Amino acid sequence: DTGVSQDPRHKITKRGQNVTFRCDPISEHNRLYWYRQTLGQGPEFLTYFQNEAQLEKSRLLSDRFSAERPKGSFSTLEIQRTEQGDSAMYLCASSLVKHTDTQYFGPGTRLTVL
Amino acid sequence: GESVGLHLPTLSVQEGDNSIINCAYSNSASDYFIWYKQESGKGPQFIIDIRSNMDKRQGQRVTVLLNKTVKHLSLQIAATQPGDSAVYFCAEEPNTGANSKLTFGKGITLSVRP
């Protein structure tokens, strides 16, 4: 257990529905990252926050995706009007900014869109 | 549980033997590299990291070697154990000192024969 928690662990939804995932980082970590992983692939970067500020978004993050970190602690990732192609593992990681740091990953939320 | 090892190269080793897992990275400007281990249904777990000003770093039973000339990274696991069976990913941080997104390589499945 790295100290990063994600909820829910599994989510099954129907196409067109909205879903929201939550990530709680390691408490003293000021950076929080979202990645997406499909079967047989490595994680792909989606977005990251430093405290409350969203500093970078990948082109993978379509308009249907939105992420927030309102108080600089936990973060939510919402997917609107889900599509079957959104089915994946959504991973959250956190780190403490310094010259060299390490991103510690949570267990992920497995999304299945039917 | 699911497998993240589908369609990935597999390295099969005998328990007790040493394992060497190789990775080619893409960006010559990357200055920080990490090896992660991922077990089925779990998030990536940090194993060891190395900065570009080093060519070797040792941990407990693991050694990472970095060859910047050919952009090659390797992970050596001594006395491989059944618990080492997992998918292994190398990751690079493309922005020097910026502690931002990681780019993951293709994973390799390590299978340990008893």
Side-chain angles (χ1 to χ4, degrees):
Chain A
D1 183 4
T2 62
V4 179
S5 61
Q6 292 186 247
D7 184 71
R9 294 293 309 278
H10 302 274
K11 178 69 177 179
I12 299 174
T13 191
K14 293 182 179 179
R15 189 173 47 189
Q17 298 294 305
N18 299 344
V19 294
T20 300
F21 310 140
R22 176 179 170 125
C23 171
D24 287 88
I26 296 170
S27 61
E28 65 268 25
H29 284 185
N30 50 5
R31 284 209 172 175
L32 187 149
Y33 307 78
W34 286 99
Y35 291 82
R36 180 170 69 187
Q37 185 177 29
T38 53
L39 281 177
Q41 301 296 320
E44 295 176 292
F45 170 80
L46 293 178
T47 189
Y48 85 95
F49 294 83
Q50 179 159 324
N51 301 313
E52 307 86 3
Q54 188 171 17
L55 296 186
E56 187 174 349
K57 292 194 287 186
S58 161
R59 279 176 253 176
L60 292 176
L61 214 64
S62 76
D63 293 345
R64 296 184 297 104
F65 287 70
S66 62
E68 294 183 341
R69 193 183 185 200
K71 298 180 181 179
S73 56
F74 72 93
S75 175
T76 58
L77 178 67
E78 181 182 18
I79 308 175
Q80 297 182 325
R81 304 181 301 282
T82 52
E83 301 173 355
Q84 287 186 325
D86 296 331
S87 296
M89 174 79 87
Y90 290 85
L91 292 162
C92 175
S94 71
S95 72
L96 180 63
V97 174
K98 55 184 179 181
H99 185 53
T100 302
D101 69 346
T102 300
Q103 293 182 29
Y104 293 93
F105 283 82
T109 295
R110 165 63 65 188
L111 173 66
T112 301
V113 181
L114 302 176
Chain B
E2 80 230 7
S3 168
V4 295
L6 294 177
H7 312 300
L8 293 172
T10 299
L11 174 66
S12 180
V13 299
Q14 189 73 37
E15 180 179 358
D17 287 352
N18 297 334
S19 303
I20 301 176
I21 302 172
N22 296 304
C23 172
Y25 64 91
S26 57
N27 190 339
S28 55
S30 294
D31 75 340
Y32 182 53
F33 305 89
I34 310 172
W35 279 101
Y36 285 95
K37 170 187 179 184
Q38 188 171 27
E39 297 173 283
S40 182
K42 297 183 179 181
Q45 175 189 353
F46 170 83
I47 302 173
I48 191 167
D49 58 1
I50 189 168
R51 290 195 60 84
S52 59
N53 61 354
M54 303 173 69
D55 53 22
K56 180 179 180 179
R57 190 165 186 222
Q58 289 184 290
Q60 188 176 14
R61 279 202 312 121
V62 294
T63 300
V64 56
L65 299 177
L66 175 63
N67 185 330
K68 296 180 287 294
T69 302
V70 295
K71 293 191 288 187
H72 184 267
L73 197 66
S74 68
L75 177 69
Q76 300 177 0
I77 304 174
T80 313
Q81 301 169 358
D84 296 327
S85 294
V87 178
Y88 289 79
F89 292 97
C90 65
E92 60 182 300
E93 191 170 275
N95 298 318
T96 302
N99 304 118
S100 65
K101 64 185 178 184
L102 294 172
T103 299
F104 283 78
K106 295 187 185 298
I108 296 173
T109 299
L110 177 64
S111 176
V112 182
R113 304 187 304 272

Short mmCIF file of all heavy atoms in Angstrom, two decimals, chain A residues 36-44 91 105, chain B residues 3-9 21-25 33-40 42-49 64 73-75 77 84 86-92 102-110:
data_model
loop_
_atom_site.label_atom_id
_atom_site.label_comp_id
_atom_site.label_asym_id
_atom_site.label_seq_id
_atom_site.Cartn_x
_atom_site.Cartn_y
_atom_site.Cartn_z
N ARG A 36 -4.14 6.99 -17.56
CA ARG A 36 -5.07 5.97 -18.03
C ARG A 36 -4.25 4.80 -18.58
O ARG A 36 -3.24 5.01 -19.27
CB ARG A 36 -5.97 6.52 -19.14
CG ARG A 36 -6.96 5.51 -19.69
CD ARG A 36 -7.97 6.17 -20.59
NE ARG A 36 -7.37 6.64 -21.84
CZ ARG A 36 -8.02 7.36 -22.73
NH1 ARG A 36 -9.25 7.74 -22.51
NH2 ARG A 36 -7.41 7.72 -23.84
N GLN A 37 -4.71 3.60 -18.27
CA GLN A 37 -4.02 2.40 -18.73
C GLN A 37 -5.01 1.43 -19.34
O GLN A 37 -5.98 1.03 -18.70
CB GLN A 37 -3.27 1.72 -17.58
CG GLN A 37 -2.42 0.54 -18.03
CD GLN A 37 -1.63 -0.07 -16.87
OE1 GLN A 37 -2.04 -0.02 -15.72
NE2 GLN A 37 -0.46 -0.63 -17.18
N THR A 38 -4.74 1.03 -20.58
CA THR A 38 -5.55 -0.01 -21.22
C THR A 38 -4.77 -1.32 -21.20
O THR A 38 -3.55 -1.32 -21.03
CB THR A 38 -5.91 0.37 -22.66
OG1 THR A 38 -4.71 0.71 -23.37
CG2 THR A 38 -6.85 1.58 -22.68
N LEU A 39 -5.50 -2.41 -21.37
CA LEU A 39 -4.88 -3.73 -21.25
C LEU A 39 -3.71 -3.88 -22.20
O LEU A 39 -3.79 -3.59 -23.38
CB LEU A 39 -5.93 -4.82 -21.53
CG LEU A 39 -6.89 -5.13 -20.39
CD1 LEU A 39 -7.92 -6.16 -20.83
CD2 LEU A 39 -6.15 -5.62 -19.15
N GLY A 40 -2.59 -4.33 -21.65
CA GLY A 40 -1.40 -4.59 -22.46
C GLY A 40 -0.55 -3.37 -22.72
O GLY A 40 0.46 -3.46 -23.43
N GLN A 41 -0.94 -2.22 -22.15
CA GLN A 41 -0.18 -0.99 -22.40
C GLN A 41 0.31 -0.41 -21.07
O GLN A 41 -0.20 -0.72 -20.01
CB GLN A 41 -1.07 0.05 -23.09
CG GLN A 41 -1.65 -0.40 -24.41
CD GLN A 41 -0.60 -0.64 -25.46
OE1 GLN A 41 0.37 0.11 -25.58
NE2 GLN A 41 -0.75 -1.71 -26.23
N GLY A 42 1.32 0.47 -21.19
CA GLY A 42 1.74 1.21 -20.02
C GLY A 42 0.80 2.37 -19.74
O GLY A 42 0.01 2.77 -20.62
N PRO A 43 0.84 2.92 -18.55
CA PRO A 43 0.00 4.08 -18.24
C PRO A 43 0.31 5.26 -19.17
O PRO A 43 1.47 5.48 -19.54
CB PRO A 43 0.37 4.41 -16.79
CG PRO A 43 0.90 3.14 -16.23
CD PRO A 43 1.61 2.48 -17.38
N GLU A 44 -0.74 6.01 -19.52
CA GLU A 44 -0.59 7.21 -20.35
C GLU A 44 -1.05 8.42 -19.54
O GLU A 44 -2.13 8.41 -18.95
CB GLU A 44 -1.44 7.10 -21.62
CG GLU A 44 -1.00 6.00 -22.57
CD GLU A 44 -1.96 5.89 -23.74
OE1 GLU A 44 -3.10 5.50 -23.52
OE2 GLU A 44 -1.54 6.21 -24.88
N LEU A 91 -5.58 5.57 -13.23
CA LEU A 91 -4.61 5.55 -12.14
C LEU A 91 -4.32 6.96 -11.65
O LEU A 91 -4.21 7.89 -12.45
CB LEU A 91 -3.30 4.92 -12.62
CG LEU A 91 -3.33 3.43 -12.95
CD1 LEU A 91 -2.15 3.05 -13.82
CD2 LEU A 91 -3.35 2.61 -11.68
N PHE A 105 1.82 5.45 -7.03
CA PHE A 105 0.52 5.18 -7.65
C PHE A 105 -0.46 4.54 -6.68
O PHE A 105 -0.08 3.77 -5.79
CB PHE A 105 0.69 4.25 -8.85
CG PHE A 105 1.22 4.94 -10.07
CD1 PHE A 105 2.58 5.16 -10.22
CD2 PHE A 105 0.36 5.38 -11.06
CE1 PHE A 105 3.07 5.82 -11.35
CE2 PHE A 105 0.84 6.03 -12.19
CZ PHE A 105 2.20 6.25 -12.33
N SER B 3 -5.42 -9.35 -16.22
CA SER B 3 -3.99 -9.38 -16.45
C SER B 3 -3.60 -8.14 -17.23
O SER B 3 -4.25 -7.79 -18.20
CB SER B 3 -3.59 -10.64 -17.22
OG SER B 3 -2.24 -10.52 -17.68
N VAL B 4 -2.56 -7.45 -16.78
CA VAL B 4 -2.05 -6.35 -17.58
C VAL B 4 -0.94 -6.84 -18.48
O VAL B 4 -0.31 -6.06 -19.16
CB VAL B 4 -1.54 -5.21 -16.68
CG1 VAL B 4 -2.67 -4.60 -15.92
CG2 VAL B 4 -0.43 -5.68 -15.77
N GLY B 5 -0.69 -8.14 -18.51
CA GLY B 5 0.43 -8.67 -19.26
C GLY B 5 0.06 -9.14 -20.64
O GLY B 5 0.87 -9.70 -21.35
N LEU B 6 -1.22 -8.97 -21.06
CA LEU B 6 -1.64 -9.46 -22.36
C LEU B 6 -0.82 -8.80 -23.45
O LEU B 6 -0.64 -7.61 -23.46
CB LEU B 6 -3.12 -9.18 -22.57
CG LEU B 6 -4.07 -9.91 -21.64
CD1 LEU B 6 -5.50 -9.49 -21.90
CD2 LEU B 6 -3.95 -11.41 -21.82
N HIS B 7 -0.39 -9.59 -24.41
CA HIS B 7 0.30 -9.13 -25.60
C HIS B 7 1.64 -8.49 -25.28
O HIS B 7 2.19 -7.78 -26.12
CB HIS B 7 -0.56 -8.13 -26.38
CG HIS B 7 -1.96 -8.60 -26.59
ND1 HIS B 7 -2.26 -9.76 -27.26
CD2 HIS B 7 -3.14 -8.09 -26.19
CE1 HIS B 7 -3.57 -9.93 -27.27
NE2 HIS B 7 -4.13 -8.94 -26.64
N LEU B 8 2.18 -8.69 -24.11
CA LEU B 8 3.47 -8.13 -23.78
C LEU B 8 4.55 -9.19 -23.90
O LEU B 8 4.30 -10.37 -23.69
CB LEU B 8 3.44 -7.59 -22.34
CG LEU B 8 2.55 -6.39 -22.07
CD1 LEU B 8 2.49 -6.10 -20.60
CD2 LEU B 8 3.06 -5.19 -22.83
N PRO B 9 5.77 -8.76 -24.22
CA PRO B 9 6.89 -9.72 -24.21
C PRO B 9 7.01 -10.34 -22.83
O PRO B 9 6.72 -9.71 -21.82
CB PRO B 9 8.10 -8.84 -24.52
CG PRO B 9 7.56 -7.58 -25.07
CD PRO B 9 6.20 -7.39 -24.51
N ILE B 21 15.96 -7.22 -17.24
CA ILE B 21 14.86 -6.67 -18.03
C ILE B 21 15.36 -5.40 -18.69
O ILE B 21 15.92 -4.53 -18.01
CB ILE B 21 13.64 -6.37 -17.14
CG1 ILE B 21 13.20 -7.65 -16.42
CG2 ILE B 21 12.50 -5.79 -17.97
CD1 ILE B 21 12.12 -7.42 -15.38
N ASN B 22 15.18 -5.31 -19.99
CA ASN B 22 15.73 -4.19 -20.75
C ASN B 22 14.66 -3.23 -21.25
O ASN B 22 13.52 -3.62 -21.46
CB ASN B 22 16.52 -4.72 -21.96
CG ASN B 22 17.72 -5.53 -21.53
OD1 ASN B 22 18.56 -5.05 -20.78
ND2 ASN B 22 17.80 -6.77 -21.98
N CYS B 23 15.07 -2.00 -21.44
CA CYS B 23 14.14 -0.96 -21.90
C CYS B 23 14.90 0.06 -22.73
O CYS B 23 16.00 0.47 -22.36
CB CYS B 23 13.51 -0.29 -20.67
SG CYS B 23 12.52 1.16 -21.03
N ALA B 24 14.32 0.42 -23.87
CA ALA B 24 14.88 1.50 -24.68
C ALA B 24 14.00 2.73 -24.47
O ALA B 24 12.78 2.64 -24.63
CB ALA B 24 14.91 1.11 -26.14
N TYR B 25 14.59 3.85 -24.10
CA TYR B 25 13.78 5.05 -23.91
C TYR B 25 13.91 5.96 -25.12
O TYR B 25 14.79 5.80 -25.96
CB TYR B 25 14.11 5.76 -22.60
CG TYR B 25 15.50 6.31 -22.46
CD1 TYR B 25 15.81 7.61 -22.84
CD2 TYR B 25 16.51 5.53 -21.90
CE1 TYR B 25 17.09 8.13 -22.68
CE2 TYR B 25 17.79 6.03 -21.75
CZ TYR B 25 18.08 7.33 -22.14
OH TYR B 25 19.35 7.83 -21.99
N PHE B 33 14.73 8.47 -14.51
CA PHE B 33 14.18 7.20 -14.99
C PHE B 33 13.77 6.35 -13.80
O PHE B 33 14.44 6.34 -12.76
CB PHE B 33 15.23 6.44 -15.82
CG PHE B 33 15.78 7.25 -16.96
CD1 PHE B 33 16.89 8.06 -16.77
CD2 PHE B 33 15.18 7.21 -18.21
CE1 PHE B 33 17.39 8.83 -17.80
CE2 PHE B 33 15.68 7.97 -19.25
CZ PHE B 33 16.79 8.78 -19.05
N ILE B 34 12.66 5.64 -13.98
CA ILE B 34 12.11 4.84 -12.89
C ILE B 34 11.70 3.48 -13.43
O ILE B 34 11.18 3.38 -14.54
CB ILE B 34 10.87 5.51 -12.26
CG1 ILE B 34 11.16 6.97 -11.91
CG2 ILE B 34 10.41 4.76 -11.01
CD1 ILE B 34 9.91 7.72 -11.46
N TRP B 35 11.90 2.46 -12.62
CA TRP B 35 11.33 1.14 -12.89
C TRP B 35 10.15 0.92 -11.95
O TRP B 35 10.26 1.14 -10.74
CB TRP B 35 12.36 0.04 -12.69
CG TRP B 35 13.29 -0.15 -13.85
CD1 TRP B 35 14.57 0.30 -13.97
CD2 TRP B 35 13.01 -0.86 -15.06
NE1 TRP B 35 15.09 -0.08 -15.17
CE2 TRP B 35 14.16 -0.78 -15.87
CE3 TRP B 35 11.88 -1.55 -15.55
CZ2 TRP B 35 14.23 -1.39 -17.13
CZ3 TRP B 35 11.96 -2.14 -16.80
CH2 TRP B 35 13.12 -2.06 -17.58
N TYR B 36 9.04 0.47 -12.54
CA TYR B 36 7.86 0.12 -11.77
C TYR B 36 7.53 -1.36 -12.00
O TYR B 36 7.74 -1.89 -13.08
CB TYR B 36 6.64 0.94 -12.20
CG TYR B 36 6.64 2.38 -11.72
CD1 TYR B 36 7.12 3.40 -12.54
CD2 TYR B 36 6.12 2.72 -10.48
CE1 TYR B 36 7.10 4.72 -12.11
CE2 TYR B 36 6.09 4.03 -10.05
CZ TYR B 36 6.58 5.03 -10.86
OH TYR B 36 6.55 6.33 -10.44
N LYS B 37 6.95 -1.95 -10.97
CA LYS B 37 6.44 -3.33 -11.03
C LYS B 37 4.93 -3.26 -10.90
O LYS B 37 4.41 -2.54 -10.04
CB LYS B 37 7.04 -4.12 -9.87
CG LYS B 37 6.44 -5.50 -9.64
CD LYS B 37 7.01 -6.09 -8.35
CE LYS B 37 6.43 -7.47 -8.06
NZ LYS B 37 6.91 -8.01 -6.75
N GLN B 38 4.21 -3.98 -11.75
CA GLN B 38 2.75 -3.97 -11.66
C GLN B 38 2.22 -5.39 -11.62
O GLN B 38 2.42 -6.16 -12.56
CB GLN B 38 2.13 -3.20 -12.83
CG GLN B 38 0.63 -3.00 -12.66
CD GLN B 38 0.05 -2.05 -13.70
OE1 GLN B 38 0.57 -1.93 -14.79
NE2 GLN B 38 -1.03 -1.38 -13.35
N GLU B 39 1.56 -5.72 -10.55
CA GLU B 39 0.90 -7.01 -10.40
C GLU B 39 -0.55 -6.89 -10.87
O GLU B 39 -1.11 -5.79 -10.91
CB GLU B 39 0.96 -7.46 -8.95
CG GLU B 39 2.39 -7.68 -8.46
CD GLU B 39 2.47 -7.98 -6.98
OE1 GLU B 39 2.34 -7.04 -6.18
OE2 GLU B 39 2.67 -9.15 -6.60
N SER B 40 -1.11 -8.01 -11.20
CA SER B 40 -2.45 -8.03 -11.78
C SER B 40 -3.46 -7.34 -10.87
O SER B 40 -3.55 -7.64 -9.67
CB SER B 40 -2.86 -9.47 -12.02
OG SER B 40 -4.13 -9.54 -12.62
N LYS B 42 -3.45 -4.31 -9.80
CA LYS B 42 -2.90 -3.30 -8.90
C LYS B 42 -2.26 -2.16 -9.68
O LYS B 42 -1.98 -2.29 -10.87
CB LYS B 42 -1.86 -3.93 -7.97
CG LYS B 42 -2.42 -5.00 -7.04
CD LYS B 42 -1.35 -5.52 -6.10
CE LYS B 42 -1.91 -6.56 -5.15
NZ LYS B 42 -0.88 -7.06 -4.20
N GLY B 43 -1.99 -1.08 -8.99
CA GLY B 43 -1.29 0.03 -9.61
C GLY B 43 0.21 -0.24 -9.67
O GLY B 43 0.72 -1.12 -8.97
N PRO B 44 0.95 0.52 -10.48
CA PRO B 44 2.41 0.35 -10.54
C PRO B 44 3.06 0.64 -9.19
O PRO B 44 2.68 1.59 -8.50
CB PRO B 44 2.82 1.39 -11.59
CG PRO B 44 1.60 1.64 -12.40
CD PRO B 44 0.46 1.51 -11.44
N GLN B 45 4.04 -0.17 -8.87
CA GLN B 45 4.76 -0.05 -7.59
C GLN B 45 6.20 0.36 -7.88
O GLN B 45 6.89 -0.30 -8.66
CB GLN B 45 4.71 -1.39 -6.86
CG GLN B 45 5.52 -1.47 -5.59
CD GLN B 45 5.59 -2.88 -5.03
OE1 GLN B 45 4.93 -3.78 -5.54
NE2 GLN B 45 6.40 -3.09 -4.04
N PHE B 46 6.66 1.42 -7.25
CA PHE B 46 8.03 1.90 -7.43
C PHE B 46 9.05 0.84 -7.01
O PHE B 46 8.91 0.21 -5.97
CB PHE B 46 8.24 3.16 -6.59
CG PHE B 46 9.66 3.63 -6.51
CD1 PHE B 46 10.20 4.40 -7.52
CD2 PHE B 46 10.46 3.30 -5.43
CE1 PHE B 46 11.51 4.85 -7.45
CE2 PHE B 46 11.77 3.73 -5.34
CZ PHE B 46 12.30 4.51 -6.36
N ILE B 47 10.06 0.64 -7.88
CA ILE B 47 11.13 -0.29 -7.52
C ILE B 47 12.42 0.47 -7.26
O ILE B 47 13.02 0.37 -6.19
CB ILE B 47 11.38 -1.31 -8.65
CG1 ILE B 47 10.12 -2.10 -8.97
CG2 ILE B 47 12.51 -2.27 -8.26
CD1 ILE B 47 10.30 -2.99 -10.18
N ILE B 48 12.89 1.22 -8.25
CA ILE B 48 14.16 1.91 -8.16
C ILE B 48 14.20 3.01 -9.21
O ILE B 48 13.52 2.91 -10.23
CB ILE B 48 15.34 0.93 -8.33
CG1 ILE B 48 16.68 1.58 -7.96
CG2 ILE B 48 15.39 0.36 -9.75
CD1 ILE B 48 17.83 0.59 -7.81
N ASP B 49 14.98 4.05 -8.94
CA ASP B 49 15.10 5.14 -9.90
C ASP B 49 16.57 5.50 -10.10
O ASP B 49 17.44 5.07 -9.35
CB ASP B 49 14.30 6.37 -9.45
CG ASP B 49 14.72 6.89 -8.07
OD1 ASP B 49 15.64 6.34 -7.45
OD2 ASP B 49 14.08 7.87 -7.61
N VAL B 64 19.82 -0.93 -11.27
CA VAL B 64 19.43 -0.29 -12.52
C VAL B 64 20.70 0.23 -13.19
O VAL B 64 21.57 0.81 -12.55
CB VAL B 64 18.39 0.83 -12.30
CG1 VAL B 64 18.88 1.87 -11.31
CG2 VAL B 64 18.00 1.48 -13.61
N LEU B 73 18.08 1.34 -20.76
CA LEU B 73 17.94 1.18 -19.32
C LEU B 73 17.73 -0.30 -19.04
O LEU B 73 17.02 -0.98 -19.81
CB LEU B 73 16.70 1.95 -18.89
CG LEU B 73 16.45 2.33 -17.45
CD1 LEU B 73 17.49 3.31 -16.95
CD2 LEU B 73 15.05 2.96 -17.32
N SER B 74 18.34 -0.81 -17.99
CA SER B 74 18.07 -2.20 -17.65
C SER B 74 17.85 -2.34 -16.15
O SER B 74 18.33 -1.53 -15.36
CB SER B 74 19.20 -3.12 -18.10
OG SER B 74 20.37 -2.87 -17.36
N LEU B 75 17.08 -3.36 -15.81
CA LEU B 75 16.81 -3.69 -14.42
C LEU B 75 17.30 -5.10 -14.17
O LEU B 75 16.90 -6.02 -14.89
CB LEU B 75 15.30 -3.61 -14.13
CG LEU B 75 14.86 -4.03 -12.72
CD1 LEU B 75 15.33 -2.99 -11.70
CD2 LEU B 75 13.35 -4.21 -12.65
N ILE B 77 17.54 -8.14 -11.44
CA ILE B 77 16.98 -8.67 -10.20
C ILE B 77 17.80 -9.89 -9.82
O ILE B 77 17.90 -10.85 -10.59
CB ILE B 77 15.49 -9.05 -10.36
CG1 ILE B 77 14.68 -7.86 -10.86
CG2 ILE B 77 14.94 -9.56 -9.04
CD1 ILE B 77 13.22 -8.20 -11.18
N ASP B 84 8.40 -12.02 -7.51
CA ASP B 84 8.85 -11.05 -8.51
C ASP B 84 8.04 -11.14 -9.80
O ASP B 84 8.16 -10.27 -10.67
CB ASP B 84 10.34 -11.25 -8.83
CG ASP B 84 11.25 -11.00 -7.65
OD1 ASP B 84 10.90 -10.11 -6.82
OD2 ASP B 84 12.28 -11.68 -7.52
N ALA B 86 5.52 -10.44 -12.35
CA ALA B 86 4.70 -9.24 -12.55
C ALA B 86 5.03 -8.67 -13.92
O ALA B 86 5.86 -9.20 -14.64
CB ALA B 86 4.99 -8.20 -11.47
N VAL B 87 4.38 -7.56 -14.25
CA VAL B 87 4.75 -6.79 -15.44
C VAL B 87 5.65 -5.64 -14.97
O VAL B 87 5.35 -4.97 -13.98
CB VAL B 87 3.51 -6.23 -16.16
CG1 VAL B 87 3.93 -5.38 -17.36
CG2 VAL B 87 2.60 -7.37 -16.60
N TYR B 88 6.74 -5.43 -15.67
CA TYR B 88 7.70 -4.38 -15.33
C TYR B 88 7.70 -3.30 -16.41
O TYR B 88 7.75 -3.60 -17.60
CB TYR B 88 9.10 -4.97 -15.17
CG TYR B 88 9.22 -5.81 -13.92
CD1 TYR B 88 8.72 -7.11 -13.89
CD2 TYR B 88 9.76 -5.29 -12.75
CE1 TYR B 88 8.79 -7.87 -12.73
CE2 TYR B 88 9.84 -6.05 -11.59
CZ TYR B 88 9.35 -7.34 -11.59
OH TYR B 88 9.42 -8.09 -10.44
N PHE B 89 7.63 -2.05 -15.96
CA PHE B 89 7.65 -0.90 -16.86
C PHE B 89 8.82 0.00 -16.52
O PHE B 89 9.06 0.27 -15.32
CB PHE B 89 6.37 -0.08 -16.73
CG PHE B 89 5.12 -0.74 -17.21
CD1 PHE B 89 4.27 -1.38 -16.32
CD2 PHE B 89 4.77 -0.71 -18.56
CE1 PHE B 89 3.10 -1.99 -16.75
CE2 PHE B 89 3.61 -1.31 -19.00
CZ PHE B 89 2.77 -1.96 -18.10
N CYS B 90 9.50 0.50 -17.54
CA CYS B 90 10.42 1.61 -17.32
C CYS B 90 9.67 2.89 -17.65
O CYS B 90 8.73 2.89 -18.47
CB CYS B 90 11.67 1.48 -18.17
SG CYS B 90 11.40 1.60 -19.95
N ALA B 91 10.02 3.97 -16.99
CA ALA B 91 9.39 5.25 -17.24
C ALA B 91 10.45 6.33 -17.26
O ALA B 91 11.44 6.25 -16.54
CB ALA B 91 8.34 5.56 -16.17
N GLU B 92 10.24 7.33 -18.10
CA GLU B 92 11.18 8.45 -18.18
C GLU B 92 10.44 9.74 -17.93
O GLU B 92 9.25 9.88 -18.23
CB GLU B 92 11.85 8.48 -19.56
CG GLU B 92 10.89 8.64 -20.72
CD GLU B 92 11.59 8.62 -22.07
OE1 GLU B 92 12.46 9.48 -22.30
OE2 GLU B 92 11.24 7.76 -22.89
N LEU B 102 5.26 11.33 -16.50
CA LEU B 102 6.09 10.22 -16.87
C LEU B 102 5.63 9.64 -18.21
O LEU B 102 4.43 9.60 -18.48
CB LEU B 102 6.03 9.11 -15.81
CG LEU B 102 6.60 9.43 -14.44
CD1 LEU B 102 6.29 8.32 -13.46
CD2 LEU B 102 8.09 9.69 -14.52
N THR B 103 6.58 9.20 -19.01
CA THR B 103 6.27 8.45 -20.22
C THR B 103 6.74 7.03 -20.00
O THR B 103 7.91 6.80 -19.71
CB THR B 103 6.97 9.06 -21.44
OG1 THR B 103 6.51 10.40 -21.62
CG2 THR B 103 6.67 8.25 -22.70
N PHE B 104 5.80 6.09 -20.12
CA PHE B 104 6.09 4.70 -19.84
C PHE B 104 6.47 3.95 -21.11
O PHE B 104 5.90 4.18 -22.18
CB PHE B 104 4.87 4.02 -19.21
CG PHE B 104 4.67 4.36 -17.76
CD1 PHE B 104 4.12 5.57 -17.38
CD2 PHE B 104 5.04 3.46 -16.77
CE1 PHE B 104 3.94 5.89 -16.05
CE2 PHE B 104 4.87 3.76 -15.43
CZ PHE B 104 4.32 4.98 -15.07
N GLY B 105 7.40 3.02 -20.96
CA GLY B 105 7.74 2.12 -22.06
C GLY B 105 6.77 0.96 -22.12
O GLY B 105 5.84 0.85 -21.30
N LYS B 106 7.00 0.09 -23.07
CA LYS B 106 6.20 -1.12 -23.17
C LYS B 106 6.59 -2.04 -22.01
O LYS B 106 7.75 -2.20 -21.70
CB LYS B 106 6.45 -1.81 -24.49
CG LYS B 106 6.00 -1.03 -25.70
CD LYS B 106 6.12 -1.84 -26.95
CE LYS B 106 5.77 -1.01 -28.19
NZ LYS B 106 4.37 -0.55 -28.12
N GLY B 107 5.63 -2.63 -21.41
CA GLY B 107 5.89 -3.51 -20.28
C GLY B 107 6.45 -4.85 -20.70
O GLY B 107 6.29 -5.29 -21.84
N ILE B 108 7.12 -5.49 -19.78
CA ILE B 108 7.64 -6.84 -19.98
C ILE B 108 7.13 -7.69 -18.83
O ILE B 108 7.24 -7.31 -17.66
CB ILE B 108 9.17 -6.85 -20.01
CG1 ILE B 108 9.68 -6.06 -21.21
CG2 ILE B 108 9.71 -8.28 -20.03
CD1 ILE B 108 11.16 -5.86 -21.24
N THR B 109 6.57 -8.84 -19.18
CA THR B 109 6.08 -9.75 -18.16
C THR B 109 7.21 -10.66 -17.70
O THR B 109 7.86 -11.32 -18.51
CB THR B 109 4.92 -10.61 -18.71
OG1 THR B 109 3.86 -9.75 -19.11
CG2 THR B 109 4.42 -11.57 -17.65
N LEU B 110 7.46 -10.67 -16.41
CA LEU B 110 8.45 -11.58 -15.82
C LEU B 110 7.70 -12.75 -15.20
O LEU B 110 6.85 -12.56 -14.34
CB LEU B 110 9.28 -10.86 -14.76
CG LEU B 110 10.31 -11.73 -14.02
CD1 LEU B 110 11.37 -12.26 -14.97
CD2 LEU B 110 10.95 -10.97 -12.87
#
